[in-house]
Amino acid sequence: MEDLTIGILGAGKIGSAIVRAIRLKYPSIHVIATARKDETLRNVKDLEVETTKDNNYAVNKSDVIILSVKPQHFPTVLRQVGIESWKGKVVISIMAGVKLSTLSTLLNNAEVYRAMPNINAIVYKSTTAIAENNGKSRELVENIFKTLGNVYWLPEEYLDIWTALVGSGPAFISEIIDALSLGAVACGMQREIAYNAVLDMISGTIIMLKEGRIDHPMLLRDQVTTPAGTTIRGLMVMEAKGVKSALIETIEASYKRAVEIGNEIDRSIRNNSK
């Protein structure tokens, strides 16, 4: 790890989070960050990394390349970078929808991986999926994404489900947090107090479940629920309103859209790269 040069093509929100995480964990690694806009490059310049708009230069100088550009910009990157420049490189795509088979076809003899972090990478709490791959750089790829948080190796066909559950998940959880906070406001509590209380409550609940003190969410629910108490009344409303069913359908709908978008993106990139 220490002697590597890592090129990050696309230093936007997730790309810059990766830059920060690598610099924090492995300060001796040389990082080259690229972007189309000067402002984006200025945002990572203070992290003591090399910045450039020249993707071909970044690929040629790097041992590992992380493709963090928007999928629709990938054909432009392919036109900018000479086909021989990819040869022998470790290339990790975090572009949504672009399949490993497509990447392997377009990137000349590169060792290709596909990963999907989420927005929590900004605070080093990403939950990242990496598509199963038996390449020789598997451990290296895992170590890079461990700088952002937890890493899971999954069959590639699960990545669309991952997109719905973990990629979109922070938005869904934020909606739930906001709704709970507003419920307290409706009862007369100040919003700021309610909001912070909800965040603390959720944080504590996660610790209870994740540390294994309680093996299943339903067991925790049952510990809180007392006969004729406040919790059972609230649960009755949730059941009547179909909250659990709505959340299940939310993930299903997001998953189906992820499949649609992924197929559209993959076809477009194949067609535009011919």
Side-chain angles (χ1 to χ4, degrees):
M1 290 288 290
E2 301 299 327
D3 298 326
L4 287 176
T5 296
I6 298 179
I8 299 175
L9 308 191
K13 287 182 181 178
I14 300 295
S16 61
I18 295 172
V19 172
R20 288 184 176 86
I22 291 172
R23 294 297 298 148
L24 183 66
K25 180 70 174 179
Y26 302 107
S28 65
I29 286 180
H30 182 63
V31 176
I32 304 173
T34 79
R36 296 184 303 153
K37 298 179 181 178
D38 291 329
E39 181 182 359
T40 305
L41 293 178
R42 283 196 296 270
N43 289 336
V44 294
K45 189 78 172 179
D46 62 342
L47 299 174
E48 298 180 1
V49 301
E50 186 177 356
T51 60
T52 180
K53 291 184 178 180
D54 189 340
N55 287 318
N56 188 55
Y57 167 82
V59 171
N60 277 299
K61 291 294 183 180
S62 300
D63 306 296
V64 178
I65 297 99
I66 299 176
L67 291 169
S68 184
V69 298
K70 290 182 173 63
Q72 59 266 34
H73 296 154
F74 184 44
T76 301
V77 172
L78 291 174
R79 288 190 290 271
Q80 293 171 339
V81 179
I83 188 66
E84 290 299 316
S85 299
W86 301 104
K87 192 171 183 178
K89 307 288 185 175
V90 176
V91 180
I92 310 164
S93 168
I94 63 171
M95 298 182 296
V98 187
K99 295 177 174 59
L100 279 173
S101 57
T102 299
L103 293 165
S104 297
T105 299
L106 297 176
L107 303 177
N108 181 33
N109 289 316
E111 184 180 343
V112 179
Y113 293 83
R114 182 182 174 194
M116 186 162 293
N118 72 355
I119 193 67
N120 296 340
I122 292 172
V123 291
Y124 313 116
K125 290 292 183 181
S126 176
T127 311
T128 301
I130 308 176
E132 287 286 1
N133 190 318
N134 294 321
K136 66 180 189 299
S137 301
R138 178 186 170 103
E139 184 178 357
L140 166 64
V141 173
E142 180 171 323
N143 286 336
I144 289 172
F145 285 95
K146 277 184 175 178
T147 65
L148 298 175
N150 293 329
V151 171
Y152 297 80
W153 289 88
L154 300 175
E156 187 179 16
E157 59 264 30
Y158 287 178
L159 287 195
D160 288 324
I161 304 173
W162 189 270
T163 299
L165 180 65
V166 178
S168 300
F172 303 148
I173 293 297
S174 294
E175 281 288 286
I176 293 169
I177 289 169
D178 191 47
L180 292 171
S181 302
L182 290 175
V185 172
C187 296
M189 183 179 286
Q190 291 180 347
R191 183 181 177 87
E192 184 178 358
I193 296 172
Y195 175 65
N196 287 314
V198 170
L199 293 180
D200 288 344
M201 176 271 293
I202 290 176
S203 177
T205 304
I206 289 169
I207 292 171
M208 289 275 286
L209 292 170
K210 195 153 189 175
E211 289 186 355
R213 297 181 186 180
I214 296 178
D215 294 332
H216 194 279
M218 295 303 95
L219 295 176
L220 178 53
R221 178 204 64 190
D222 289 347
Q223 285 198 19
V224 177
T225 307
T226 56
T230 60
T231 306
I232 189 61
R233 291 298 174 90
L235 289 170
M236 288 170 63
V237 174
M238 292 181 73
E239 183 69 17
K241 297 293 185 182
V243 172
K244 183 175 282 191
S245 178
L247 291 172
I248 293 170
E249 291 180 18
T250 294
I251 299 302
E252 284 187 323
S254 297
Y255 160 67
K256 290 175 182 177
R257 183 56 183 148
V259 172
E260 291 173 358
I261 292 173
N263 289 335
E264 290 167 6
I265 288 171
D266 202 71
R267 280 195 302 269
S268 175
I269 285 174
R270 283 181 177 273
N271 292 335
N272 289 334
S273 302
K274 290 178 179 178

